[in-house]
C-alpha cells in the first residue's frame, strides 16, 4: 500500500516565492482506486520554488477513487481542487474536453499532465521543466522519458512496445505538427497558450478521439519542444482498466481514422491546406488498416497520393483544394513499412 500524506501542505509550500500558482497539474482519473494515491503523491513530492495547484478530474468513478480524492482535497485544501462528474464523459465521447475544456481555461501559465493510473518518479521534474521554459521563450513544451509498467509496478518488456523505439530528442514546432515526435502525455509541461476562444476549435476538439495528439499539433504552432534527459522516467501503466493500453489494434486504427479526419477538417477550415491534406492522408491510411490490413498491398497504398492530388472536398460548407505531396506522405509510408515488418 502506497504511503499517504508523506508531506504536509506547509512543507510543500514553504519554499514557494509566492502563493500565486504559475503551474497547474491536470490529472484525469476514472476507477483508479488502486493507483490514484501513487499519482497524487508524485504530485505532492514536487520540490519547487514556485507555487503550483493540482486539478483532479474524476470521471464518475464507482470503485472508491472519488473517496481517495476527497481525502486528499481535504488534507491539502490550498493545493488540490477536485472536480467530479455525475456521468462518465469519456463514454459520451467528450475526450477532448479534458485538454481543451474548462480545466485548461482555468489553468495557469504552465500545465503539466498525468493520468490517475500513471505517476512521476522525480521530485525535481516540475522545477527543471519550468526553469527551462522560463529561460527559453522560443520553446513551448518540455518533456522527458517514460517507462512502461504493469498493475504490479513491474517494468514491461520493452521489446513488445513501440515506446522502446522512442527517439527522445529536441524538436521544432514542425515536428510536433506532423507527429515526427511522440510525446508521452505524463511527461510534458507546456505553456498554456492555446486560444480556446478560437472559432471551431472546441467543435473539432470534442470529436477527436486522440485529444493529446491534437494538443501537441496545436502547440507546434507556438514554438519548439525540448527533451530534458536529466529527469527520471515517469511511469505509464498498462492494466485491464486502461483506456488506451487495453484497446485492440483494430479499434485503435478506427480511433486514429476519426482523429485525423477531424484534424484535416479543422485545418481545412483554418485555410492550412498543407496540414489538412497531411492529416487526410493519415486518416485514409488508418481507415485501410482498420478495414483490411491483412489484405492490403503496399502497391495499393502508394496510389493514395494520386487519388488525393487535385481532389476537392467539402469542409464546413466550402470547397478547398487538397494537395498532398510525396514529401508529406512519406511519414505515412514509413509507418506502413514498419507495420509490415512487425506483421
Amino acid at each position: 500500500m502506497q504511503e499517504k500524506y508523506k508531506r504536509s501542505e506547509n512543507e510543500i509550500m514553504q519554499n514557494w516565492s509566492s502563493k500565486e500558482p504559475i503551474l497547474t497539474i491536470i490529472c484525469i482519473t476514472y476507477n483508479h482506486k488502486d493507483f490514484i494515491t501513487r499519482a497524487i503523491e508524485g504530485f505532492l513530492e514536487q520540490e519547487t520554488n514556485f507555487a503550483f495547484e493540482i486539478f483532479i478530474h474524476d470521471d464518475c468513478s464507482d470503485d472508491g477513487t472519488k473517496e481517495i480524492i476527497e481525502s486528499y482535497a481535504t488534507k491539502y485544501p490550498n493545493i488540490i481542487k477536485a472536480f467530479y462528474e455525475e456521468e462518465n464523459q469519456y463514454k459520451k465521447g467528450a475526450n477532448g474536453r479534458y485538454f481543451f475544456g474548462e480545466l485548461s481555461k482555468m489553468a495557469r501559465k504552465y500545465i503539466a499532465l498525468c493520468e490517475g493510473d500513471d505517476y512521476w518518479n522525480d521530485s525535481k521534474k516540475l522545477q527543471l521543466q519550468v526553469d527551462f521554459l522560463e529561460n527559453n521563450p522560443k520553446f513551448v513544451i518540455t518533456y522527458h522519458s517514460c517507462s512502461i509498467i504493469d498493475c504490479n509496478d513491474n517494468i514491461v518488456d520493452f521489446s513488445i512496445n513501440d515506446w522502446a523505439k522512442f527517439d527522445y530528442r529536441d524538436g521544432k514546432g514542425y515536428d510536433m505538427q506532423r507527429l515526427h515526435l511522440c510525446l508521452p502525455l505524463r511527461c510534458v509541461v507546456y505553456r498554456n497558450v492555446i486560444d480556446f476562444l478560437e472559432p471551431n476549435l472546441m467543435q473539432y476538439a470534442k470529436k477527436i478521439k486522440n485529444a493529446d495528439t491534437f494538443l501537441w499539433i496545436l502547440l507546434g504552432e507556438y514554438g519548439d519542444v525540448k527533451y530534458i534527459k536529466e529527469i527520471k522516467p515517469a511511469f505509464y501503466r498498462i492494466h485491464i482498466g486502461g483506456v488506451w493500453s487495453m484497446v485492440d489494434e483494430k479499434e485503435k486504427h478506427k480511433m486514429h481514422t476519426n482523429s485525423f479526419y477531424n484534424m484535416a477538417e479543422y485545418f481545412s477550415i483554418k485555410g492550412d491546406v498543407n496540414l489538412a491534406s497531411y492529416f487526410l492522408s493519415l486518416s485514409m491510411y488508418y481507415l485501410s488498416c482498420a478495414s483490411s490490413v491483412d489484405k492490403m498491398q503496399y502497391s495499393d497504398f502508394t496510389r493514395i497520393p494520386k487519388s488525393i492530388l487535385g481532389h476537392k472536398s467539402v469542409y464546413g460548407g466550402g470547397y478547398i483544394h487538397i494537395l498532398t505531396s510525396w514529401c508529406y506522405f512519406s511519414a505515412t509510408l514509413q509507418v506502413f513499412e514498419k507495420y509490415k515488418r512487425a506483421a
Side-chain angles (χ1 to χ4, degrees):
M1 179 69 68
Q2 173 66 35
E3 182 183 353
K4 298 172 68 173
Y5 318 134
K6 289 190 289 187
R7 300 173 71 200
S8 70
E9 191 168 68
N10 287 335
E11 287 175 323
I12 295 169
M13 299 171 63
Q14 65 182 351
N15 292 321
W16 290 359
S17 58
S18 169
K19 292 184 179 180
E20 188 68 20
I22 67 168
L23 178 142
T24 303
I25 300 167
I26 297 180
C27 176
I28 308 301
T29 187
Y30 171 68
N31 282 356
H32 292 153
K33 73 176 180 64
D34 294 331
F35 312 123
I36 188 65
T37 296
R38 185 65 190 88
I40 297 174
E41 286 295 329
F43 307 152
L44 298 174
E45 288 170 0
Q46 293 302 303
E47 300 172 5
T48 65
N49 59 18
F50 57 83
F52 61 84
E53 62 187 1
I54 304 169
F55 289 176
I56 304 179
H57 178 278
D58 179 72
D59 201 9
C60 198
S61 295
D62 57 11
D63 69 339
T65 299
K66 179 180 178 181
E67 289 71 22
I68 296 173
I69 297 169
E70 288 175 336
S71 70
Y72 272 97
T74 301
K75 187 77 172 179
Y76 301 90
N78 295 304
I79 299 176
I80 296 178
K81 298 178 177 64
F83 303 84
Y84 305 105
E85 295 288 351
E86 295 183 359
E87 294 183 85
N88 185 279
Q89 299 301 303
Y90 184 84
K91 292 178 181 178
K92 295 171 67 175
N95 188 31
R97 65 175 293 183
Y98 301 145
F99 302 101
F100 306 104
E102 292 302 319
L103 294 185
S104 292
K105 291 179 184 178
M106 293 187 294
R108 306 293 178 147
K109 182 178 180 181
Y110 301 110
I111 295 177
L113 301 175
C114 186
E115 294 177 316
D117 50 351
D118 303 330
Y119 67 92
W120 299 339
N121 191 40
D122 192 328
S123 62
K124 304 292 186 182
K125 163 193 158 67
L126 291 184
Q127 187 71 59
L128 288 170
Q129 291 181 276
V130 168
D131 282 349
F132 182 86
L133 290 172
E134 288 281 275
N135 293 312
N136 296 274
K138 77 169 187 174
F139 288 84
V140 71
I141 188 168
T142 63
Y143 76 109
H144 53 88
S145 61
C146 180
S147 296
I148 306 176
I149 57 175
D150 62 19
C151 60
N152 297 313
D153 286 350
N154 298 312
I155 297 291
V156 173
D157 181 3
F158 280 117
S159 65
I160 64 172
N161 285 283
D162 286 341
W163 289 57
K165 304 178 181 66
F166 265 11
D167 181 19
Y168 291 122
R169 61 179 176 86
D170 298 350
K172 299 294 185 181
Y174 177 95
D175 293 315
M176 285 196 291
Q177 288 186 310
R178 284 161 177 78
L179 305 180
H180 295 169
L181 280 174
C182 188
L183 307 183
L185 178 147
R186 67 238 17 105
C187 301
V188 303
V189 170
Y190 60 92
R191 300 184 192 276
N192 189 11
V193 292
I194 293 175
D195 181 6
F196 295 99
L197 298 179
E198 178 191 333
N200 303 309
L201 175 57
M202 285 306 298
Q203 174 187 349
Y204 289 99
K206 290 177 181 178
K207 297 178 183 179
I208 290 171
K209 302 294 185 182
N210 306 90
D212 53 338
T213 300
F214 190 39
L215 176 61
W216 314 147
I217 293 165
L218 294 177
L219 285 171
E221 181 180 345
Y222 294 90
D224 297 336
V225 55
K226 177 66 178 179
Y227 169 61
I228 303 180
K229 64 181 180 180
E230 291 80 11
I231 300 176
K232 297 176 185 177
F235 289 103
Y236 167 58
R237 192 184 304 276
I238 295 177
H239 61 100
I240 195 67
V243 171
W244 179 255
S245 60
M246 290 296 107
V247 176
D248 65 47
E249 286 304 307
K250 186 170 184 177
E251 188 61 30
K252 286 180 179 178
H253 291 327
K254 291 179 180 178
M255 293 171 71
H256 280 121
T257 300
N258 162 278
S259 295
F260 291 134
Y261 182 82
N262 280 289
M263 290 177 199
E265 194 166 7
Y266 169 75
F267 284 112
S268 70
I269 288 176
K270 287 196 67 178
D272 192 327
V273 176
N274 288 333
L275 283 179
S277 59
Y278 181 75
F279 289 114
L280 181 59
S281 68
L282 286 179
S283 178
M284 294 178 72
Y285 164 65
Y286 281 105
L287 178 63
S288 298
C289 289
S291 59
S292 57
V293 69
D294 56 331
K295 300 177 182 178
M296 193 165 126
Q297 299 296 318
Y298 183 84
S299 58
D300 295 334
F301 197 64
T302 56
R303 292 200 296 269
I304 289 181
K306 297 179 182 178
S307 68
I308 297 175
L309 195 64
H311 177 67
K312 289 184 178 180
S313 297
V314 180
Y315 289 129
Y319 284 91
I320 69 164
H321 198 58
I322 299 294
L323 299 175
T324 301
S325 70
W326 285 102
C327 176
Y328 292 142
F329 200 67
S330 62
T332 303
L333 296 182
Q334 290 172 13
V335 171
F336 180 73
E337 288 185 302
K338 179 179 177 181
Y339 177 86
K340 283 189 67 180
R341 290 195 298 270

